[in-house]
Amino acid sequence: MEWISDSRILIVGLGLIGGSYARALKRLGYHVTAIDTRKEAIDYALENHIINDGFTEVDEAIVSSADAVIFGLYPKVLLDWIDRYQSYLKPGTMLTDVTGVKGCVVYDVQAALRDDVEFIGSHPMAGREVYGVENSDDSIFRGANFIITPTEKNTAKAIRWIGSLGRILGFSRISVLSPEEHDEMIGYLSQLTHCIAVALMTCSDNEHLVDYTGDSFRDLTRIANINDLMWSELFMLNRESLLKYMDIFLDEFAALRDMIRDGRVDELREKMRLSTKRRAYFNKK
Protein backbone atom coordinates (compact mmCIF):
# COMPACT_ATOMS: atom_id res chain seq x y z
CA MET A 1 0.00 0.00 0.00
CA GLU A 2 1.35 3.40 -0.94
CA TRP A 3 0.28 6.82 0.24
CA ILE A 4 -1.89 7.57 -2.80
CA SER A 5 -4.80 9.97 -2.70
CA ASP A 6 -7.54 7.34 -2.80
CA SER A 7 -6.16 5.39 0.17
CA ARG A 8 -8.64 4.85 2.95
CA ILE A 9 -7.20 5.45 6.42
CA LEU A 10 -8.71 4.18 9.66
CA ILE A 11 -7.65 5.84 12.90
CA VAL A 12 -8.49 3.89 16.04
CA GLY A 13 -8.35 6.19 19.05
CA LEU A 14 -9.13 9.81 18.29
CA GLY A 15 -7.12 11.62 20.94
CA LEU A 16 -4.69 14.51 20.54
CA ILE A 17 -2.28 12.65 18.26
CA GLY A 18 -4.88 10.54 16.46
CA GLY A 19 -6.93 13.67 15.87
CA SER A 20 -3.89 15.57 14.62
CA TYR A 21 -3.08 12.72 12.20
CA ALA A 22 -6.69 12.85 11.01
CA ARG A 23 -6.55 16.61 10.39
CA ALA A 24 -3.37 16.33 8.36
CA LEU A 25 -4.42 13.30 6.32
CA LYS A 26 -7.89 14.62 5.51
CA ARG A 27 -6.42 17.98 4.48
CA LEU A 28 -4.11 16.09 2.13
CA GLY A 29 -7.08 14.42 0.47
CA TYR A 30 -7.21 11.02 2.13
CA HIS A 31 -10.49 9.44 3.20
CA VAL A 32 -10.21 9.29 7.00
CA THR A 33 -12.46 7.13 9.17
CA ALA A 34 -12.16 7.09 12.96
CA ILE A 35 -13.27 4.79 15.74
CA ASP A 36 -13.37 6.08 19.31
CA THR A 37 -15.43 5.01 22.31
CA ARG A 38 -16.18 8.67 23.11
CA LYS A 39 -19.21 9.80 21.13
CA GLU A 40 -18.26 13.41 21.92
CA ALA A 41 -14.93 12.90 20.17
CA ILE A 42 -16.54 11.49 17.03
CA ASP A 43 -19.20 14.21 16.98
CA TYR A 44 -16.59 16.95 17.37
CA ALA A 45 -14.41 15.49 14.62
CA LEU A 46 -17.34 15.24 12.21
CA GLU A 47 -18.66 18.72 12.98
CA ASN A 48 -15.21 20.23 12.47
CA HIS A 49 -14.46 18.24 9.29
CA ILE A 50 -11.48 16.45 10.86
CA ILE A 51 -12.71 13.06 9.59
CA ASN A 52 -14.99 11.79 6.84
CA ASP A 53 -16.69 9.10 8.92
CA GLY A 54 -16.72 8.20 12.57
CA PHE A 55 -18.00 5.39 14.77
CA THR A 56 -18.03 4.44 18.45
CA GLU A 57 -18.02 0.68 17.88
CA VAL A 58 -15.85 -1.64 15.83
CA ASP A 59 -17.58 -3.10 12.80
CA GLU A 60 -16.18 -5.54 10.25
CA ALA A 61 -17.27 -3.44 7.27
CA ILE A 62 -15.46 -0.38 8.67
CA VAL A 63 -12.21 -2.19 9.39
CA SER A 64 -12.15 -4.26 6.20
CA SER A 65 -12.48 -1.14 4.03
CA ALA A 66 -9.23 0.38 5.36
CA ASP A 67 -5.96 0.29 3.44
CA ALA A 68 -4.06 1.39 6.55
CA VAL A 69 -4.83 1.53 10.26
CA ILE A 70 -3.21 3.97 12.69
CA PHE A 71 -3.65 3.08 16.36
CA GLY A 72 -3.85 5.89 18.90
CA LEU A 73 -4.50 3.50 21.79
CA TYR A 74 -2.86 2.74 25.11
CA PRO A 75 -0.50 -0.26 24.80
CA LYS A 76 -2.69 -2.80 26.59
CA VAL A 77 -5.80 -1.67 24.72
CA LEU A 78 -3.94 -1.96 21.41
CA LEU A 79 -2.99 -5.57 22.12
CA ASP A 80 -6.58 -6.38 23.06
CA TRP A 81 -7.86 -4.75 19.84
CA ILE A 82 -5.52 -6.86 17.72
CA ASP A 83 -6.64 -10.01 19.50
CA ARG A 84 -10.35 -9.27 19.04
CA TYR A 85 -10.58 -7.62 15.63
CA GLN A 86 -7.64 -8.53 13.42
CA SER A 87 -9.82 -11.01 11.52
CA TYR A 88 -11.66 -7.98 10.08
CA LEU A 89 -8.53 -6.63 8.36
CA LYS A 90 -8.24 -7.25 4.65
CA PRO A 91 -5.04 -8.88 3.35
CA GLY A 92 -2.26 -6.39 2.70
CA THR A 93 -3.41 -3.85 5.29
CA MET A 94 -0.59 -1.80 6.81
CA LEU A 95 -0.72 -1.02 10.53
CA THR A 96 1.17 1.43 12.72
CA ASP A 97 0.79 3.16 16.05
CA VAL A 98 1.73 6.29 18.00
CA THR A 99 2.55 4.52 21.27
CA GLY A 100 5.20 5.99 23.57
CA VAL A 101 6.83 2.63 24.40
CA LYS A 102 7.81 -0.03 21.90
CA GLY A 103 9.58 -3.07 23.32
CA CYS A 104 6.50 -4.32 25.14
CA VAL A 105 4.18 -3.51 22.22
CA VAL A 106 5.79 -4.13 18.83
CA TYR A 107 6.94 -7.71 19.38
CA ASP A 108 3.65 -8.78 21.00
CA VAL A 109 1.53 -7.22 18.25
CA GLN A 110 3.66 -8.78 15.52
CA ALA A 111 3.59 -12.18 17.21
CA ALA A 112 -0.20 -12.09 17.47
CA LEU A 113 -0.83 -10.72 13.96
CA ARG A 114 -1.77 -12.65 10.84
CA ASP A 115 0.95 -13.13 8.23
CA ASP A 116 -0.95 -11.29 5.47
CA VAL A 117 -0.99 -7.91 7.25
CA GLU A 118 1.98 -5.97 8.61
CA PHE A 119 2.50 -3.87 11.73
CA ILE A 120 5.44 -1.47 11.96
CA GLY A 121 5.93 0.63 15.08
CA SER A 122 6.35 4.40 14.91
CA HIS A 123 6.40 7.26 17.39
CA PRO A 124 5.67 10.90 16.55
CA MET A 125 7.75 12.93 19.00
CA ALA A 126 5.15 15.67 19.22
CA GLY A 127 2.45 16.55 21.69
CA ARG A 128 0.99 19.04 24.08
CA GLU A 129 -0.06 19.18 27.70
CA VAL A 130 -3.71 19.01 26.59
CA TYR A 131 -5.66 16.00 25.43
CA GLY A 132 -8.38 14.87 23.09
CA VAL A 133 -9.33 15.53 19.48
CA GLU A 134 -10.77 18.85 20.64
CA ASN A 135 -7.17 20.07 21.05
CA SER A 136 -5.75 18.40 17.93
CA ASP A 137 -3.51 20.46 15.66
CA ASP A 138 -1.38 19.00 12.90
CA SER A 139 1.03 21.95 13.08
CA ILE A 140 2.65 20.19 16.06
CA PHE A 141 4.30 17.82 13.58
CA ARG A 142 6.17 20.50 11.66
CA GLY A 143 9.79 20.57 12.74
CA ALA A 144 9.30 17.57 15.07
CA ASN A 145 11.04 14.18 15.09
CA PHE A 146 9.49 10.92 13.87
CA ILE A 147 10.87 7.56 14.98
CA ILE A 148 10.38 4.24 13.19
CA THR A 149 10.95 1.03 15.19
CA PRO A 150 11.16 -1.92 12.79
CA THR A 151 12.02 -5.50 13.70
CA GLU A 152 13.28 -8.41 11.62
CA LYS A 153 9.64 -9.18 10.81
CA ASN A 154 9.22 -5.93 8.90
CA THR A 155 9.71 -5.61 5.18
CA ALA A 156 11.66 -2.88 3.43
CA LYS A 157 8.37 -1.84 1.83
CA ALA A 158 6.82 -1.24 5.26
CA ILE A 159 9.80 0.84 6.40
CA ARG A 160 9.51 3.01 3.27
CA TRP A 161 5.76 3.27 3.78
CA ILE A 162 5.96 4.50 7.35
CA GLY A 163 8.79 6.86 6.48
CA SER A 164 6.63 8.41 3.78
CA LEU A 165 3.87 8.91 6.37
CA GLY A 166 6.28 10.90 8.52
CA ARG A 167 7.25 13.02 5.54
CA ILE A 168 3.72 13.84 4.37
CA LEU A 169 2.74 14.73 7.95
CA GLY A 170 5.54 17.32 8.00
CA PHE A 171 8.10 15.85 10.40
CA SER A 172 11.55 17.32 9.87
CA ARG A 173 13.68 14.33 10.91
CA ILE A 174 12.84 10.66 10.49
CA SER A 175 14.97 8.19 12.45
CA VAL A 176 15.08 4.40 12.62
CA LEU A 177 15.72 2.71 15.98
CA SER A 178 15.17 -0.77 17.33
CA PRO A 179 12.33 -1.01 19.87
CA GLU A 180 14.97 -1.42 22.60
CA GLU A 181 16.93 1.64 21.49
CA HIS A 182 13.71 3.62 21.35
CA ASP A 183 12.71 2.71 24.90
CA GLU A 184 16.17 3.49 26.26
CA MET A 185 16.04 6.92 24.62
CA ILE A 186 12.46 7.67 25.65
CA GLY A 187 13.20 6.76 29.26
CA TYR A 188 15.55 9.74 29.39
CA LEU A 189 14.14 12.31 26.96
CA SER A 190 10.46 11.96 27.80
CA GLN A 191 9.63 9.84 30.81
CA LEU A 192 12.33 11.17 33.16
CA THR A 193 11.38 14.75 32.27
CA HIS A 194 7.75 14.06 33.11
CA CYS A 195 8.78 12.54 36.44
CA ILE A 196 10.86 15.63 37.26
CA ALA A 197 7.96 17.93 36.40
CA VAL A 198 5.54 15.93 38.56
CA ALA A 199 7.96 15.87 41.51
CA LEU A 200 8.56 19.61 41.23
CA MET A 201 4.84 20.37 41.27
CA THR A 202 4.28 18.20 44.33
CA CYS A 203 7.08 19.85 46.35
CA SER A 204 4.82 22.66 47.58
CA ASP A 205 1.09 23.07 48.14
CA ASN A 206 1.29 26.88 48.33
CA GLU A 207 -1.44 28.03 45.93
CA HIS A 208 -0.23 31.64 46.11
CA LEU A 209 3.03 30.83 44.31
CA VAL A 210 1.18 31.35 41.03
CA ASP A 211 1.05 35.07 41.90
CA TYR A 212 4.83 35.36 41.82
CA THR A 213 6.09 32.83 39.28
CA GLY A 214 7.98 33.63 36.10
CA ASP A 215 8.28 31.90 32.76
CA SER A 216 11.09 29.58 33.86
CA PHE A 217 8.82 27.73 36.30
CA ARG A 218 5.96 27.59 33.80
CA ASP A 219 8.26 26.25 31.07
CA LEU A 220 9.79 23.62 33.32
CA THR A 221 6.46 22.34 34.65
CA ARG A 222 4.31 22.56 31.51
CA ILE A 223 4.25 18.77 31.16
CA ALA A 224 3.24 18.29 34.81
CA ASN A 225 -0.33 18.72 33.55
CA ILE A 226 -0.32 14.98 32.95
CA ASN A 227 -2.69 12.22 31.88
CA ASP A 228 -2.24 9.93 34.88
CA LEU A 229 -3.84 6.88 33.25
CA MET A 230 -1.65 6.95 30.15
CA TRP A 231 1.64 8.02 31.71
CA SER A 232 1.47 5.63 34.67
CA GLU A 233 1.03 2.78 32.18
CA LEU A 234 3.96 4.02 30.08
CA PHE A 235 6.19 4.36 33.15
CA MET A 236 5.39 0.83 34.31
CA LEU A 237 5.93 -0.68 30.86
CA ASN A 238 9.35 0.99 30.54
CA ARG A 239 10.34 0.93 34.20
CA GLU A 240 13.82 -0.58 33.69
CA SER A 241 15.07 2.26 31.48
CA LEU A 242 13.20 4.90 33.45
CA LEU A 243 14.55 3.76 36.82
CA LYS A 244 18.08 3.73 35.42
CA TYR A 245 17.83 7.39 34.42
CA MET A 246 16.03 8.35 37.63
CA ASP A 247 18.99 6.96 39.58
CA ILE A 248 21.45 8.89 37.41
CA PHE A 249 19.41 12.06 37.91
CA LEU A 250 19.31 11.56 41.67
CA ASP A 251 23.12 11.25 41.73
CA GLU A 252 23.52 14.42 39.64
CA PHE A 253 21.05 16.34 41.79
CA ALA A 254 22.77 15.19 44.97
CA ALA A 255 26.13 16.33 43.54
CA LEU A 256 24.70 19.80 42.85
CA ARG A 257 23.25 19.94 46.34
CA ASP A 258 26.60 19.06 47.89
CA MET A 259 28.43 21.71 45.83
CA ILE A 260 26.01 24.38 47.03
CA ARG A 261 26.07 23.16 50.63
CA ASP A 262 29.88 23.08 50.73
CA GLY A 263 30.39 26.35 48.89
CA ARG A 264 32.29 24.75 46.00
CA VAL A 265 31.59 27.56 43.56
CA ASP A 266 34.20 26.59 40.96
CA GLU A 267 32.78 23.08 40.66
CA LEU A 268 29.24 24.46 40.53
CA ARG A 269 30.16 26.83 37.69
CA GLU A 270 31.89 24.03 35.80
CA LYS A 271 28.71 21.92 36.07
CA MET A 272 26.68 24.86 34.76
CA ARG A 273 29.07 25.35 31.83
CA LEU A 274 28.69 21.66 30.96
CA SER A 275 24.91 22.03 31.12
CA THR A 276 24.99 25.03 28.81
CA LYS A 277 27.22 23.20 26.33
CA ARG A 278 24.98 20.15 26.18
CA ARG A 279 21.79 22.19 26.00
CA ALA A 280 23.12 23.83 22.84
CA TYR A 281 22.79 20.49 21.06
CA PHE A 282 19.01 20.77 21.42
CA ASN A 283 18.60 24.32 20.13
CA LYS A 284 16.34 24.20 17.08
CA LYS A 285 18.05 25.41 13.95
Short mmCIF file of all heavy atoms in Angstrom, two decimals, residues 35-61:
data_model
loop_
_atom_site.label_atom_id
_atom_site.label_comp_id
_atom_site.label_asym_id
_atom_site.label_seq_id
_atom_site.Cartn_x
_atom_site.Cartn_y
_atom_site.Cartn_z
N ILE A 35 -12.51 5.51 14.73
CA ILE A 35 -13.27 4.79 15.74
C ILE A 35 -12.78 5.26 17.10
O ILE A 35 -11.57 5.28 17.36
CB ILE A 35 -13.08 3.27 15.63
CG1 ILE A 35 -13.55 2.75 14.27
CG2 ILE A 35 -13.82 2.55 16.76
CD1 ILE A 35 -13.26 1.27 14.04
N ASP A 36 -13.71 5.68 17.94
CA ASP A 36 -13.37 6.08 19.31
C ASP A 36 -14.57 5.79 20.19
O ASP A 36 -15.72 5.98 19.77
CB ASP A 36 -13.02 7.57 19.37
CG ASP A 36 -12.33 7.95 20.66
OD1 ASP A 36 -13.02 8.06 21.70
OD2 ASP A 36 -11.09 8.12 20.65
N THR A 37 -14.32 5.34 21.40
CA THR A 37 -15.43 5.01 22.31
C THR A 37 -16.17 6.24 22.78
O THR A 37 -17.32 6.14 23.21
CB THR A 37 -14.91 4.23 23.53
OG1 THR A 37 -13.88 4.99 24.18
CG2 THR A 37 -14.34 2.88 23.11
N ARG A 38 -15.53 7.42 22.69
CA ARG A 38 -16.18 8.67 23.11
C ARG A 38 -17.01 9.23 21.97
O ARG A 38 -16.49 9.68 20.96
CB ARG A 38 -15.14 9.71 23.53
CG ARG A 38 -14.42 9.41 24.81
CD ARG A 38 -13.40 10.49 25.12
NE ARG A 38 -13.99 11.82 25.17
CZ ARG A 38 -13.59 12.86 24.45
NH1 ARG A 38 -12.60 12.75 23.58
NH2 ARG A 38 -14.19 14.02 24.59
N LYS A 39 -18.33 9.23 22.15
CA LYS A 39 -19.21 9.80 21.13
C LYS A 39 -18.93 11.29 20.93
O LYS A 39 -19.00 11.80 19.81
CB LYS A 39 -20.68 9.60 21.52
CG LYS A 39 -21.66 10.07 20.45
CD LYS A 39 -23.09 9.75 20.85
CE LYS A 39 -24.06 10.13 19.73
NZ LYS A 39 -24.01 11.56 19.37
N GLU A 40 -18.56 11.98 22.03
CA GLU A 40 -18.26 13.41 21.92
C GLU A 40 -17.07 13.66 21.00
O GLU A 40 -17.04 14.65 20.27
CB GLU A 40 -17.95 14.00 23.30
CG GLU A 40 -19.01 13.74 24.36
CD GLU A 40 -18.73 12.50 25.20
OE1 GLU A 40 -18.45 11.43 24.59
OE2 GLU A 40 -18.78 12.61 26.44
N ALA A 41 -16.10 12.75 21.04
CA ALA A 41 -14.93 12.90 20.17
C ALA A 41 -15.31 12.73 18.71
O ALA A 41 -14.89 13.51 17.84
CB ALA A 41 -13.86 11.88 20.56
N ILE A 42 -16.10 11.72 18.41
CA ILE A 42 -16.54 11.49 17.03
C ILE A 42 -17.40 12.65 16.54
O ILE A 42 -17.21 13.16 15.42
CB ILE A 42 -17.31 10.17 16.92
CG1 ILE A 42 -16.40 8.98 17.26
CG2 ILE A 42 -17.94 10.02 15.55
CD1 ILE A 42 -15.23 8.80 16.32
N ASP A 43 -18.33 13.10 17.37
CA ASP A 43 -19.20 14.21 16.98
C ASP A 43 -18.39 15.47 16.70
O ASP A 43 -18.63 16.17 15.70
CB ASP A 43 -20.23 14.49 18.07
CG ASP A 43 -21.28 13.39 18.19
OD1 ASP A 43 -21.38 12.58 17.24
OD2 ASP A 43 -21.99 13.35 19.22
N TYR A 44 -17.42 15.75 17.56
CA TYR A 44 -16.59 16.95 17.37
C TYR A 44 -15.80 16.84 16.07
O TYR A 44 -15.71 17.81 15.30
CB TYR A 44 -15.64 17.11 18.55
CG TYR A 44 -14.73 18.32 18.43
CD1 TYR A 44 -15.12 19.55 18.94
CD2 TYR A 44 -13.49 18.22 17.81
CE1 TYR A 44 -14.31 20.67 18.82
CE2 TYR A 44 -12.66 19.33 17.69
CZ TYR A 44 -13.08 20.55 18.19
OH TYR A 44 -12.26 21.65 18.05
N ALA A 45 -15.22 15.67 15.82
CA ALA A 45 -14.41 15.49 14.62
C ALA A 45 -15.24 15.60 13.36
O ALA A 45 -14.78 16.17 12.36
CB ALA A 45 -13.71 14.13 14.68
N LEU A 46 -16.46 15.12 13.38
CA LEU A 46 -17.34 15.24 12.21
C LEU A 46 -17.78 16.68 12.00
O LEU A 46 -17.75 17.20 10.88
CB LEU A 46 -18.56 14.33 12.38
CG LEU A 46 -18.30 12.82 12.25
CD1 LEU A 46 -19.53 12.04 12.70
CD2 LEU A 46 -17.93 12.46 10.81
N GLU A 47 -18.17 17.33 13.09
CA GLU A 47 -18.66 18.72 12.98
C GLU A 47 -17.57 19.67 12.51
O GLU A 47 -17.86 20.67 11.84
CB GLU A 47 -19.19 19.18 14.35
CG GLU A 47 -20.48 18.48 14.77
CD GLU A 47 -20.81 18.70 16.23
OE1 GLU A 47 -20.07 19.48 16.91
OE2 GLU A 47 -21.77 18.08 16.72
N ASN A 48 -16.33 19.36 12.83
CA ASN A 48 -15.21 20.23 12.47
C ASN A 48 -14.43 19.71 11.25
O ASN A 48 -13.34 20.20 10.97
CB ASN A 48 -14.28 20.40 13.67
CG ASN A 48 -14.90 21.25 14.76
OD1 ASN A 48 -14.83 22.47 14.72
ND2 ASN A 48 -15.53 20.59 15.72
N HIS A 49 -15.02 18.75 10.55
CA HIS A 49 -14.46 18.24 9.29
C HIS A 49 -13.04 17.70 9.45
O HIS A 49 -12.21 17.83 8.56
CB HIS A 49 -14.50 19.33 8.22
CG HIS A 49 -15.84 19.99 8.08
ND1 HIS A 49 -16.94 19.34 7.56
CD2 HIS A 49 -16.28 21.24 8.44
CE1 HIS A 49 -17.99 20.15 7.57
NE2 HIS A 49 -17.61 21.31 8.11
N ILE A 50 -12.79 17.07 10.60
CA ILE A 50 -11.48 16.45 10.86
C ILE A 50 -11.44 15.06 10.25
O ILE A 50 -10.37 14.57 9.86
CB ILE A 50 -11.21 16.41 12.37
CG1 ILE A 50 -11.17 17.84 12.93
CG2 ILE A 50 -9.92 15.66 12.69
CD1 ILE A 50 -11.13 17.89 14.44
N ILE A 51 -12.60 14.40 10.15
CA ILE A 51 -12.71 13.06 9.59
C ILE A 51 -13.87 13.03 8.59
O ILE A 51 -14.73 13.91 8.60
CB ILE A 51 -12.94 12.00 10.69
CG1 ILE A 51 -14.21 12.31 11.48
CG2 ILE A 51 -11.72 11.91 11.61
CD1 ILE A 51 -14.57 11.26 12.52
N ASN A 52 -13.87 11.98 7.77
CA ASN A 52 -14.99 11.79 6.84
C ASN A 52 -16.12 10.99 7.48
O ASN A 52 -17.30 11.27 7.26
CB ASN A 52 -14.51 11.05 5.59
CG ASN A 52 -13.47 11.84 4.81
OD1 ASN A 52 -12.28 11.63 5.00
ND2 ASN A 52 -13.90 12.75 3.96
N ASP A 53 -15.72 9.97 8.25
CA ASP A 53 -16.69 9.10 8.92
C ASP A 53 -16.19 8.78 10.31
O ASP A 53 -14.97 8.74 10.54
CB ASP A 53 -16.88 7.78 8.16
CG ASP A 53 -17.19 7.97 6.69
OD1 ASP A 53 -18.26 8.51 6.40
OD2 ASP A 53 -16.34 7.59 5.86
N GLY A 54 -17.13 8.53 11.22
CA GLY A 54 -16.72 8.20 12.57
C GLY A 54 -17.70 7.28 13.26
O GLY A 54 -18.92 7.37 13.03
N PHE A 55 -17.18 6.40 14.12
CA PHE A 55 -18.00 5.39 14.77
C PHE A 55 -17.50 5.16 16.20
O PHE A 55 -16.32 5.38 16.49
CB PHE A 55 -17.95 4.07 13.99
CG PHE A 55 -18.33 4.22 12.55
CD1 PHE A 55 -17.35 4.51 11.60
CD2 PHE A 55 -19.64 4.10 12.14
CE1 PHE A 55 -17.68 4.66 10.26
CE2 PHE A 55 -19.99 4.25 10.80
CZ PHE A 55 -19.01 4.53 9.86
N THR A 56 -18.39 4.72 17.06
CA THR A 56 -18.03 4.44 18.45
C THR A 56 -17.85 2.95 18.71
O THR A 56 -17.44 2.56 19.80
CB THR A 56 -19.08 4.99 19.42
OG1 THR A 56 -20.36 4.43 19.10
CG2 THR A 56 -19.15 6.52 19.34
N GLU A 57 -18.17 2.12 17.73
CA GLU A 57 -18.02 0.68 17.88
C GLU A 57 -17.29 0.12 16.67
O GLU A 57 -17.36 0.66 15.57
CB GLU A 57 -19.38 0.00 18.03
CG GLU A 57 -20.11 0.40 19.32
CD GLU A 57 -21.42 -0.35 19.50
OE1 GLU A 57 -21.74 -1.20 18.63
OE2 GLU A 57 -22.11 -0.11 20.49
N VAL A 58 -16.59 -0.99 16.90
CA VAL A 58 -15.85 -1.64 15.83
C VAL A 58 -16.80 -2.50 15.02
O VAL A 58 -17.58 -3.29 15.57
CB VAL A 58 -14.71 -2.51 16.40
CG1 VAL A 58 -13.95 -3.19 15.26
CG2 VAL A 58 -13.78 -1.66 17.25
N ASP A 59 -16.74 -2.34 13.70
CA ASP A 59 -17.58 -3.10 12.80
C ASP A 59 -16.72 -3.67 11.68
O ASP A 59 -15.80 -3.00 11.20
CB ASP A 59 -18.68 -2.20 12.22
CG ASP A 59 -19.59 -2.93 11.26
OD1 ASP A 59 -20.55 -3.57 11.73
OD2 ASP A 59 -19.33 -2.86 10.05
N GLU A 60 -17.01 -4.89 11.26
CA GLU A 60 -16.18 -5.54 10.25
C GLU A 60 -16.13 -4.75 8.96
O GLU A 60 -15.06 -4.62 8.33
CB GLU A 60 -16.70 -6.95 9.97
CG GLU A 60 -15.83 -7.70 8.98
CD GLU A 60 -16.23 -9.16 8.83
OE1 GLU A 60 -17.21 -9.58 9.48
OE2 GLU A 60 -15.54 -9.88 8.07
N ALA A 61 -17.24 -4.19 8.52
CA ALA A 61 -17.27 -3.44 7.27
C ALA A 61 -16.37 -2.22 7.34
O ALA A 61 -15.71 -1.86 6.35
CB ALA A 61 -18.70 -3.02 6.94
#
